[in-house]
Amino acid sequence: MRKIRVEEITKEVSKMCIKANCDLSEDVLKQIESFKENEKSPIGKDILEKILLNADIASEKQVPICQDTGMAVFFVEIGDRVNIKGNIKKAINEGVRQGYKDGFLRKSVVKDPLIRDNTKDNTPAIIHYDFVEGDKITIHFAPKGFGSENMGKLKMLKPSDGIDGVKDFVLDTVNKAGPNACPPLVVGVGIGGTMEKACLLAKKALFRDLNSYNEKKHIKDLEHELLLKINDLGIGPQGLGGRTTALKVNVETFPTHIAGLPVAVNLNCHVARHLTVEI
Amino acid sequence: MKEININTPLTLDKVKNLKAGDRVYITGTLYTARDAAHKRLVESIKEGKELPFDVKNSIIYYVGPSPSKPGEVIGSAGPTTSYRMDDYTKDLLNLGLKGMIGKGKRSEDVVKSIVKNKAVYFAAIGGAAALISKSIKSSEIIAYDDLATEAIRKLYVKDFPAIVVVDSEGNNLYNIEVQKYKK
Ligand code: SF4
């Protein structure tokens, strides 16, 4: 068994919060760059240029790319040969507390959804745990802004709705979001499982690298086709028209019940922050 | 596409000159307000209380900035999604609010009220928050301090970049432009 002290986790999480919010990852930057070359709309092209310029400024000054530094979402994979010394949930939340304070990141969390007092330290984080083989802990982090989060949707389709039903639902969700989710988007789609599993899959899809594809051929094809169809909607950068509505569609699937076909769509904006660290 | 420099206050003659699609650079005063501040502003209006700033001919910027680093005027400060303010907007437009800066669609009701009151809705680039901050030269909290990022700030901006989305005649740039690129 490999021992990992929780202080180490806190330290890593704190650093991740700052880095993810100030440095847009290479995969996202490259994708924006390549779409910019092909953007036909003059307004759209100008916006993509400004978005890239903004990322440069943020990285250089180490300030947040976007003022909405999100709710802190984690997927944590814990190896079966790891012995954690202390409470991992507390450790991650402490890391968020420190990172959001030290990095001058915005505290955007309210304690109660109806009373709405700010917790003033951006906790609690949303943490999903998974147990895997090995002697490491892998922490995937994404600060999730709510302009895009608010435009997400879940639908419990019938099995007979099939793949066409899935496509229609994804396109409809992106179309209804229009300019609100800060396009160009990264579109996360979860298909299968139960109600909550589909949502979790859609969220997980947003953590994937933009250069990755689903391993299953029919799902990879679906990712590809959905991206083309979404970009035919004409919504464009910031919803002001153009051919760049989404940078990537990532789809994740899971076995489901004979009676169901759950589909969830989780949208991310062009500030598609995601970062992974292994401890 | 026209490029227009405007100075606040945003008087009627200036509003009438702005058309959907115009690129504007705003110099002068903006007031920040988002969800929680709007709720309080409109409650004050209903209770007949005085508002923390004169709404007439002013521009509200929908933003909740990140904290400023030492030596900086403000943190990152891009627009937030506007539709969440729709329920409160009519009351402010009726008091003479002339401009709003945000991102995303407005309700039909708000667009009607923009036309009726001869106002204008601008969009700034959502997510370009570090870039936009460069045009903010001073920032001072003038009300609702307890709301932290959601407090009302008086900003002085120079050449703040925005685009006219809904003009005082109700033309809507979102609808116009998307049609051109739809397949
Ligand atoms: S949707 Fe994304 S880019 Fe837009 S304001 Fe929110 S976090 Fe920023």
Side-chain angles (χ1 to χ4, degrees):
Chain A
M1 292 295 265
R2 185 174 153 241
K3 280 186 191 154
I4 296 180
R5 289 171 43 240
V6 285
E7 289 78 11
E8 211 178 316
I9 298 171
T10 296
K11 209 173 99 204
E12 281 304 328
V13 166
S14 160
K15 280 197 282 183
M16 285 176 97
C17 291
I18 299 172
K19 181 158 178 51
N21 273 300
C22 300
D23 299 313
L24 199 55
S25 57
E26 229 13 73
D27 58 329
V28 181
L29 288 170
K30 284 228 171 80
Q31 200 78 341
I32 298 172
E33 187 73 52
S34 84
F35 270 94
K36 189 192 83 184
E37 294 310 314
N38 299 316
E39 181 53 64
K40 302 265 183 307
S41 149
I43 303 178
K45 195 164 183 139
D46 180 60
I47 290 169
L48 294 177
E49 263 161 26
K50 299 258 165 68
I51 283 173
L52 289 168
L53 176 62
N54 180 69
D56 276 355
I57 296 171
S59 177
E60 198 193 304
K61 292 176 72 178
Q62 285 295 291
V63 294
I65 308 155
C66 183
Q67 78 289 337
D68 185 355
T69 50
M71 220 173 164
V73 183
F74 294 88
F75 283 91
V76 183
E77 290 154 18
I78 304 169
D80 54 3
R81 279 176 281 125
V82 174
N83 180 358
I84 302 170
K85 289 285 169 207
N87 183 315
I88 187 168
K89 182 171 161 189
K90 278 192 187 149
I92 292 174
N93 276 298
E94 184 54 31
V96 169
R97 199 170 284 127
Q98 289 177 14
Y100 274 71
K101 179 168 166 284
D102 297 347
F104 297 89
L105 309 178
R106 198 178 78 180
K107 289 79 182 170
S108 314
V109 178
V110 292
K111 210 175 291 171
D112 179 286
L114 296 173
I115 299 171
R116 307 198 73 83
D117 280 338
N118 199 300
T119 63
K120 301 209 161 79
D121 61 6
N122 221 51
T123 66
I126 307 284
I127 313 171
H128 308 290
Y129 303 93
D130 199 3
F131 300 94
V132 298
E133 286 180 7
D135 64 355
K136 290 195 173 73
I137 296 178
T138 308
I139 303 176
H140 307 277
F141 167 60
K144 190 63 178 71
F146 259 56
S148 51
E149 190 72 0
N150 280 336
M151 298 293 120
K153 275 192 184 146
L154 166 80
K155 195 168 182 185
M156 303 303 282
L157 296 179
K158 310 187 289 298
S160 65
D161 291 326
I163 193 163
D164 288 335
V166 171
K167 287 181 205 164
D168 288 349
F169 178 59
V170 175
L171 287 169
D172 187 56
T173 303
V174 172
N175 210 13
K176 289 210 171 104
N180 292 3
C182 287
L185 310 169
V186 175
V187 180
V189 182
I191 311 174
T194 47
M195 207 171 114
E196 84 285 8
K197 181 70 181 180
C199 291
L200 213 51
L201 293 169
K203 177 72 79 205
K204 213 168 181 184
L206 294 182
F207 280 63
R208 262 173 48 197
D209 193 280
L210 299 198
N211 297 311
S212 69
Y213 292 97
N214 192 295
E215 281 171 11
K216 290 186 208 147
K217 166 118 186 6
H218 70 294
I219 301 299
K220 179 180 172 182
D221 291 346
L222 179 65
E223 290 177 341
H224 192 66
E225 186 186 342
L226 280 172
L227 181 63
L228 294 177
K229 289 212 159 109
I230 286 171
N231 285 328
D232 278 346
L233 293 171
I235 295 167
Q238 295 296 302
L240 288 167
R243 305 288 306 158
T244 316
T245 302
L247 301 168
K248 182 74 181 19
V249 179
N250 285 342
V251 182
E252 291 289 307
T253 63
F254 198 80
T256 190
H257 189 276
I258 45 172
L261 177 52
V263 186
V265 181
N266 195 188
L267 300 178
N268 212 351
C269 49
H270 60 87
V271 188
R273 298 155 286 199
H274 63 108
L275 191 63
T276 295
V277 164
E278 253 184 21
I279 302 178
Chain B
M1 198 191 301
K2 264 212 290 190
E3 299 214 351
I4 302 175
N5 293 308
I6 45 177
N7 291 296
T8 64
L10 189 58
T11 46
L12 184 63
D13 52 316
K14 293 175 199 166
V15 170
K16 282 187 172 161
N17 193 29
L18 297 170
K19 298 281 166 267
D22 288 347
R23 215 181 278 265
V24 297
Y25 298 93
I26 303 166
T27 296
T29 301
L30 306 178
Y31 294 96
T32 74
R34 47 171 292 153
D35 310 61
H38 269 78
K39 186 161 184 268
R40 287 195 193 175
L41 284 172
V42 168
E43 275 165 9
S44 294
I45 294 173
K46 299 239 152 92
E47 288 162 14
K49 288 190 190 143
E50 203 185 328
L51 297 183
F53 65 96
D54 188 6
V55 171
K56 193 167 188 300
N57 293 342
S58 68
I59 302 177
I60 291 181
Y61 180 23
Y62 302 147
V63 59
S66 63
S68 50
K69 280 189 155 181
E72 301 272 351
V73 167
I74 199 164
S76 297
T80 194
T81 323
S82 307
Y83 76 91
R84 297 193 315 271
M85 269 49 81
D86 282 354
D87 291 344
Y88 306 113
T89 299
K90 266 204 315 205
D91 288 327
L92 294 165
L93 287 169
N94 288 338
L95 284 182
L97 177 73
K98 281 286 174 247
M100 295 153 284
I101 308 171
K103 56 142 172 135
K105 288 181 270 196
R106 307 309 304 259
S107 68
E108 254 177 61
D109 253 15
V110 168
V111 174
K112 271 189 206 150
S113 180
I114 288 175
V115 175
K116 187 183 125 218
N117 290 292
K118 293 281 162 242
V120 59
Y121 171 54
F122 305 98
I125 301 178
L131 176 65
I132 290 171
S133 287
K134 291 180 102 179
S135 62
I136 301 172
K137 303 302 173 194
S138 75
S139 165
E140 178 203 349
I141 294 184
I142 58 160
Y144 315 150
D145 201 3
D146 59 305
L147 293 180
T149 184
E150 296 205 63
I152 294 188
R153 288 169 172 78
K154 184 179 181 179
L155 306 181
Y156 180 77
V157 298
K158 190 160 183 333
D159 297 328
F160 181 102
I163 190 161
V164 178
V165 170
V166 180
D167 63 26
S168 57
E169 286 167 6
N171 298 306
N172 191 327
L173 192 66
Y174 288 136
N175 303 341
I176 300 167
E177 288 296 317
V178 171
Q179 285 311 319
K180 291 187 195 165
Y181 300 96
K182 202 177 191 160
K183 271 200 183 160

